[in-house]
Amino acid sequence: MDEATGVFLKALASDTRQQMLAQFSGVGELTAGEIAERSGLRPSTASEHLRLLHRGGLVEARKEGKQIYYRIDGPTVDQRLSVLRDYLDDCRLPPTDADGTPLPVPAYGQGRHGGRPTVWDRLKESVSAMQAQLVARKNELRSGAFRDASMAMCALVTAADGIIDPAELRRVSQLIATNEVLQNFPSDDLQRRFEENLDRLTPDFAAGRAAVLQEVAKVRKPDEARAVIQIGIVIGGADGQFVESERAVVREACRALGLAPRDFDL
């Protein structure tokens, strides 16, 4: 599945944005103000969600005077759905022969049809490898600096596109609670620190991001610094959609820690 389709799915994976899309039914075009009013949102909040919907290819915009009108981007939606359909077809049970016997499934690390691995194969392998490396060093990753930097990293990934989506928040909170390495620390303490970092990002994302990156940069030990980046990749890639905005904040964290993003295939 390509990057654009991943962004499309992430834009759609929000109850709020789904509600906003439903407002277009039967009306064609709406202004941002009309969408906000119909959805019960503040104009600034609606504008942020519309930005993500536009980026995901779900809506298109045109300007008329001082007004911006939005409508469903039918051609792009059709194209994204076609890619998604092909991807899901590729994930289905393997074909069978004339007797109904399943044909061999390609070995792990190959694409479903053999040959070079798909993007999803490579991402899954990378995330699995990094998690295994973290688990192998679990007993060494017990410091307060690692704990705090990891929660800052998780917050950056959660809000990578500038919005803290409730579904994404629940997903990351669950991953934090179940990650074997992070279980070195009390889960309620991790959640509190995670939410404190999210609170820093809420009023002004740009300023908050700088503050949260400073929290990441407090890690001094090289092994812990690498582990923090690996935590970010594991959390971001766990759903198979390690999109560019998430990769970008992890690259920023690399630079804050004096690490080369290329060392992590970023």
Side-chain angles (χ1 to χ4, degrees):
M1 185 166 55
D2 60 18
E3 178 81 14
T5 305
V7 176
F8 170 84
L9 288 173
K10 186 163 186 178
L12 191 57
S14 160
D15 292 342
T16 299
R17 291 194 284 277
Q18 290 171 23
Q19 180 187 0
M20 291 172 68
L21 289 172
Q23 307 311 313
F24 290 97
S25 179
V27 297
E29 287 189 330
L30 292 168
T31 66
E34 289 170 334
I35 296 167
E37 183 178 356
R38 286 167 173 253
S39 304
L41 300 171
R42 291 182 300 176
S44 59
T45 302
S47 293
E48 283 297 312
H49 282 293
L50 283 167
R51 179 178 64 82
L52 293 175
L53 289 169
H54 185 267
R55 183 179 169 214
L58 285 149
V59 300
E60 57 183 344
R62 69 175 182 86
K63 190 170 184 180
E64 185 176 303
K66 294 183 178 181
Q67 291 281 16
I68 298 178
Y69 290 85
Y70 293 88
R71 64 181 176 184
I72 299 296
D73 187 349
T76 302
V77 169
D78 288 343
Q79 191 272 335
R80 300 285 190 270
L81 290 175
S82 177
V83 172
L84 180 60
R85 190 177 299 112
D86 289 344
Y87 168 76
L88 293 174
D89 283 344
D90 200 39
C91 295
R92 293 167 65 184
L93 291 173
T96 59
D97 61 20
D99 297 325
T101 302
L103 296 174
V105 177
Y108 182 72
Q110 291 185 320
R112 290 284 297 176
H113 302 296
R116 298 180 63 185
T118 65
V119 172
W120 165 238
D121 290 326
R122 292 194 296 272
L123 176 59
K124 184 164 60 173
E125 288 176 350
S126 177
V127 169
S128 296
M130 288 190 180
Q131 178 62 19
Q133 291 169 17
L134 287 167
V135 171
R137 302 200 309 276
K138 178 179 178 179
N139 291 334
E140 304 165 20
L141 301 173
R142 295 179 177 274
S143 75
F146 170 73
R147 174 201 61 203
D148 294 350
S150 294
M151 291 305 94
M153 185 75 262
C154 289
L156 286 169
V157 170
T158 302
D161 54 16
I163 287 182
I164 301 172
D165 182 77
E168 181 74 356
L169 176 58
R170 288 192 297 271
R171 184 185 76 84
V172 175
S173 294
Q174 180 64 22
L175 289 169
I176 290 171
T178 57
N179 184 275
E180 185 173 349
V181 174
L182 295 178
Q183 287 176 355
N184 279 337
F185 310 99
S187 60
D188 56 345
D189 184 46
L190 291 178
Q191 186 65 28
R192 178 179 62 80
R193 294 173 189 276
F194 172 54
E195 291 175 358
E196 285 175 352
N197 281 293
L198 289 176
D199 288 342
R200 292 190 180 105
L201 295 166
T202 303
D204 182 334
F205 181 72
R209 181 174 57 189
V212 175
L213 282 168
Q214 287 179 356
E215 195 72 19
V216 171
K218 289 180 180 178
V219 170
R220 299 301 182 194
K221 295 181 179 179
D223 285 349
E224 289 186 344
R226 290 185 61 83
V228 168
I229 297 302
Q230 289 175 322
I231 285 287
I233 294 171
V234 167
I235 295 295
D239 61 353
Q241 298 179 43
F242 193 31
V243 298
E244 178 54 31
S245 59
E246 294 169 341
R247 297 171 69 90
V249 295
V250 178
R251 285 195 295 268
E252 285 188 281
C254 283
R255 288 188 281 270
L257 290 166
L259 300 172
R262 65 177 177 275
D263 291 345
F264 301 89
D265 294 327
L266 295 169

